[in-house]
Amino acid sequence: MATTQECRAALDKLSDNLAGAEGGVRSAAALDRSLSCHVTDLKITFTGRLENGRIEVLDTVDGPPPERAQIRLAMTGDDLVAMVDGRLNFAKAWASGRIRLEAGFRDLLRLRTLL
């Protein structure tokens, strides 16, 4: 089972990957939205913002997200680490229910480029 520190490192790596992206991926990540990532097996939530193509984690809280973020992710810690490392295909994991992504319709349309 992935640790809290491994999950935080995975989010930092994902942020770096988004910041270094080009073209359509970079423009899709250039949203300014509140973000939460609930790690279901650790029962923690990272909260922050997706802003200027980077993920900024502002806090880590116990349990589910305390407030409804504009973009909401939920998955196990192992799935988060595997997804960022490229060992888990996001689209397949999302389609099978292993990863949950919730956002407004327009945001989902923009984020599909990232998938």
Side-chain angles (χ1 to χ4, degrees):
M1 182 164 77
T3 66
T4 300
Q5 293 79 15
E6 290 170 324
C7 292
R8 175 60 195 260
L11 287 173
D12 290 342
K13 182 178 178 181
L14 178 59
S15 179
D16 291 344
N17 292 347
L18 292 174
E22 296 179 2
V25 173
R26 183 162 181 85
S27 65
L31 297 169
D32 181 12
R33 301 286 188 270
S34 60
L35 175 75
S36 68
C37 180
H38 181 61
V39 183
T40 56
D41 56 336
L42 296 177
K43 298 180 177 139
I44 60 167
T45 300
F46 296 97
T47 62
R49 295 201 66 77
L50 174 61
E51 187 173 35
N52 297 320
R54 293 198 69 85
I55 297 170
E56 181 183 2
V57 176
L58 300 173
D59 200 6
T60 305
V61 297
D62 291 328
E67 297 178 11
R68 185 178 167 100
Q70 292 167 304
I71 299 172
R72 300 166 303 282
L73 290 162
M75 67 196 83
T76 67
D78 288 341
D79 285 346
L80 173 60
V81 171
M83 179 187 69
V84 173
D85 286 344
R87 294 178 283 121
L88 177 65
N89 179 281
F90 180 87
K92 289 180 182 178
W94 186 31
S96 70
R98 282 178 68 177
I99 294 175
R100 287 191 328 257
L101 169 65
E102 298 174 0
F105 183 70
R106 287 184 183 184
D107 289 343
L108 286 173
L109 289 177
R110 285 191 71 180
L111 291 170
R112 70 185 168 102
T113 306
L114 302 174
L115 310 178

